[in-house]
Amino acid sequence: MAFNVQDVILETQNLYHLNLLAGKKGCVNGIGWVHLVEDETILQRLNGKDLVVTTGLGFQNDEKLFSFVQKLQEVHSVGLIVNTGYYIMEIPEKIIKYCEENDFPLLTCPWEVSINELIKDVSYRIIRAEREDKQINQLIMQTLINPRIIEDTRSKLAVDFDMENSFQVVVIRVRSKEELGMLERRHLKATIELCLEKIEGNYAFFWFDGSYVLVINGLEQRIVEELIRETNLRLKKRSPYLLHMGIGSRMIDFTNLIASYKRALAACDMSYCFDKPYVFFDEMGISQLLFSIEDKSILRQIENKYLSKLREYDRKHKAELEETLHNYLLYDCNLKAMSENLYLHRNTINYRLNKIKEITNCQFYSFEDKVPYMIAFYIKEMKL
């Protein structure tokens, strides 16, 4: 819920006579900071999410101004305010069209306006909004640590969120050989926020317990799904790290936030385990149960209980009983399908199955016989 271009317009338009010429859709972009820029050379020092103000001193012809706007877009600036009436009298139609096509907010304010006051005012509002966001994030983090305070948190955040609407949590984990330092986390956070800038609604985004956490309020499921797909594509281009996202269930009312968070964690574990860019908890099938179990030693015990004897036999005799049983269950105990698809003689399969039944003391006739072994193989794939 960072302070954005739309907030600048709503809160300061009368003070500074701001006029939005193009890029209305991009006005939801959150502002990291505001800069006065009169020379393109300084653009390389901007790090994204910057609102730029210029008098046009260094861009007094149409081509220079157009090039400047294009480069602002390239460095992921969130918008441009041109102080018109002295160096630049009016904005060319070509530039307005370009900004509209790229959802890049282009605003003007008259020369009589003090841009120093404008920059000072917007900077103050950004700092105030960041402080408020930090307080919101702290409250949510404290609630995730201590669920008993959720009703108290609900009342405190009622001004900032639609408490009776939906809440959905996304957990984003970094795949890296080394733990990220504070500066790396901040830089990556800014990169991810650039991908989230067009969320139309209330949200919170913060680092918590080794992952980034996104709390979305009041968005329809189809919009969330589109957001996740677009974010994944944009992060592939912008982030130097592989990221895995787990998306929790869409829950109604803030009191169910923690349930969505836990499901997002389970989905993120599956995303990380199977090297998928993102996983929706609601689409995980039986894996919902397995990845929701916090005590992973239970899962390892189940895997070992049902598969360890077969593994030991395979190790001693260089056999393939464990793999054979796995395929037998995958092919729904259909020997013909196994033989045709795995290019194994039915006699070979029968010999192995008889040995498997002898070792496990299980005939695999009933559904109840098969389920524990199917679950054991699911757990094996989790690579705990």
Side-chain angles (χ1 to χ4, degrees):
M1 295 193 299
F3 190 72
N4 58 34
V5 178
Q6 183 173 282
D7 294 325
V8 173
I9 297 171
L10 291 174
E11 296 183 18
T12 70
Q13 188 171 27
N14 294 332
L15 289 172
Y16 306 111
H17 307 289
L18 296 173
N19 181 29
L20 178 66
L21 299 182
K24 184 177 180 179
K25 290 182 179 179
C27 288
V28 295
N29 298 346
I31 305 170
W33 198 241
V34 57
H35 297 273
L36 176 65
V37 178
E38 306 286 24
D39 188 337
E40 282 189 5
T41 57
I42 200 174
L43 293 182
Q44 61 186 351
R45 298 190 179 183
L46 302 184
N47 50 8
K49 302 192 69 178
D50 301 288
L51 176 64
V52 172
V53 181
T54 186
T55 64
L57 174 62
F59 319 106
Q60 294 182 47
N61 66 59
D62 293 355
E63 289 307 314
K64 283 187 177 180
L65 183 60
F66 185 52
S67 172
F68 177 55
V69 171
Q70 288 178 310
K71 289 179 179 177
L72 286 177
Q73 177 79 0
E74 291 172 5
V75 298
H76 309 299
S77 172
V78 298
L80 172 65
I81 300 176
V82 182
N83 191 206
T84 56
Y86 191 86
Y87 297 113
I88 296 176
M89 302 307 297
E90 60 181 358
I91 309 297
E93 189 62 33
K94 176 183 177 182
I95 295 176
I96 295 175
K97 183 180 179 182
Y98 173 84
C99 292
E100 186 65 28
E101 289 174 348
N102 289 276
D103 297 332
F104 182 74
L106 175 63
L107 303 93
T108 61
C109 65
W111 185 257
E112 294 75 21
V113 167
S114 168
I115 58 171
N116 288 332
E117 286 300 317
L118 169 62
I119 292 171
K120 180 180 177 182
D121 190 354
V122 174
S123 299
Y124 168 75
R125 293 171 193 270
I126 292 171
I127 293 171
R128 186 177 65 186
E130 287 181 347
R131 188 182 301 120
E132 291 172 355
D133 282 351
K134 187 174 181 179
Q135 291 172 347
I136 290 170
N137 293 343
Q138 287 293 336
L139 280 170
I140 295 176
M141 283 189 274
Q142 289 169 10
T143 304
L144 295 178
I145 295 170
N146 181 12
R148 289 177 295 179
I149 67 171
I150 195 163
E151 286 294 343
D152 184 45
T153 304
R154 190 181 192 279
S155 63
K156 289 179 180 178
L157 296 181
V159 176
D160 303 287
F161 293 92
D162 183 357
M163 289 298 176
E164 296 179 356
N165 209 324
S166 66
F167 283 84
Q168 195 161 7
V169 179
V170 179
V171 172
I172 306 174
R173 190 172 302 158
V174 185
R175 183 179 288 275
S176 176
K177 293 180 179 180
E178 299 179 358
E179 186 176 346
L180 298 186
M182 184 178 294
L183 291 178
E184 292 171 308
R185 291 205 310 266
R186 286 180 178 175
H187 181 74
L188 183 54
K189 182 175 183 287
T191 301
I192 298 173
E193 284 178 326
L194 283 171
C195 302
L196 305 175
E197 61 193 10
K198 294 186 179 180
I199 295 180
E200 295 186 4
N202 301 325
Y203 72 92
F205 182 63
F206 49 87
W207 175 265
F208 176 72
D209 198 22
S211 301
Y212 295 100
V213 177
L214 171 65
V215 178
I216 307 170
N217 178 213
L219 286 190
E220 295 179 16
Q221 185 65 26
R222 62 177 181 82
I223 297 176
V224 173
E225 290 172 2
E226 183 179 343
L227 169 70
I228 295 300
R229 285 193 295 269
E230 290 184 357
T231 299
N232 174 56
L233 292 174
R234 296 175 75 181
L235 286 174
K236 281 183 178 179
K237 297 177 182 178
R238 296 182 180 181
S239 171
Y241 303 100
L242 285 174
L243 300 175
H244 299 278
M245 293 183 281
I247 303 90
S249 301
R250 184 173 181 265
M251 313 292 281
I252 299 300
D253 201 278
F254 183 78
T255 52
N256 295 307
L257 176 77
I258 295 170
S260 184
Y261 171 67
K262 289 184 176 180
R263 294 180 183 187
L265 282 175
C268 192
D269 284 345
M270 184 173 179
S271 170
Y272 195 94
C273 176
F274 293 108
D275 200 20
K276 296 182 177 182
Y278 57 86
V279 169
F280 286 84
F281 181 84
D282 294 342
E283 299 175 359
M284 287 171 58
I286 192 173
S287 295
Q288 288 180 342
L289 296 174
L290 301 179
F291 281 95
S292 294
I293 295 174
E294 295 182 13
D295 186 352
K296 303 304 181 187
S297 65
I298 295 174
L299 299 177
R300 287 191 289 269
Q301 288 172 7
I302 293 173
E303 180 186 359
N304 289 330
K305 177 180 178 180
Y306 290 99
L307 300 182
S308 61
K309 291 181 180 179
L310 295 177
R311 286 176 183 164
E312 183 63 20
Y313 184 90
D314 285 345
R315 187 184 65 80
K316 289 182 177 179
H317 300 88
K318 297 183 179 180
E320 298 178 3
L321 299 189
E322 184 181 358
E323 183 181 354
T324 299
L325 176 57
H326 191 196
N327 284 312
Y328 182 62
L329 296 173
L330 288 177
Y331 283 98
D332 197 23
C333 307
N334 188 323
L335 297 185
K336 181 180 178 183
M338 275 186 71
S339 177
E340 291 176 352
N341 288 280
L342 301 177
Y343 304 103
L344 288 172
H345 197 281
R346 291 188 66 166
N347 290 341
T348 302
I349 298 174
N350 276 318
Y351 172 79
R352 292 181 182 176
L353 286 176
N354 288 331
K355 181 58 69 174
I356 290 169
K357 292 174 183 179
E358 176 187 330
I359 293 171
T360 61
N361 195 28
C362 178
Q363 297 302 307
F364 301 98
Y365 291 146
S366 68
F367 180 75
E368 289 75 13
D369 285 344
K370 300 169 190 174
V371 166
Y373 289 91
M374 292 170 64
I375 291 175
F377 281 114
Y378 275 122
I379 295 171
K380 177 186 176 182
E381 291 178 356
M382 292 171 65
K383 302 174 184 176
L384 299 173

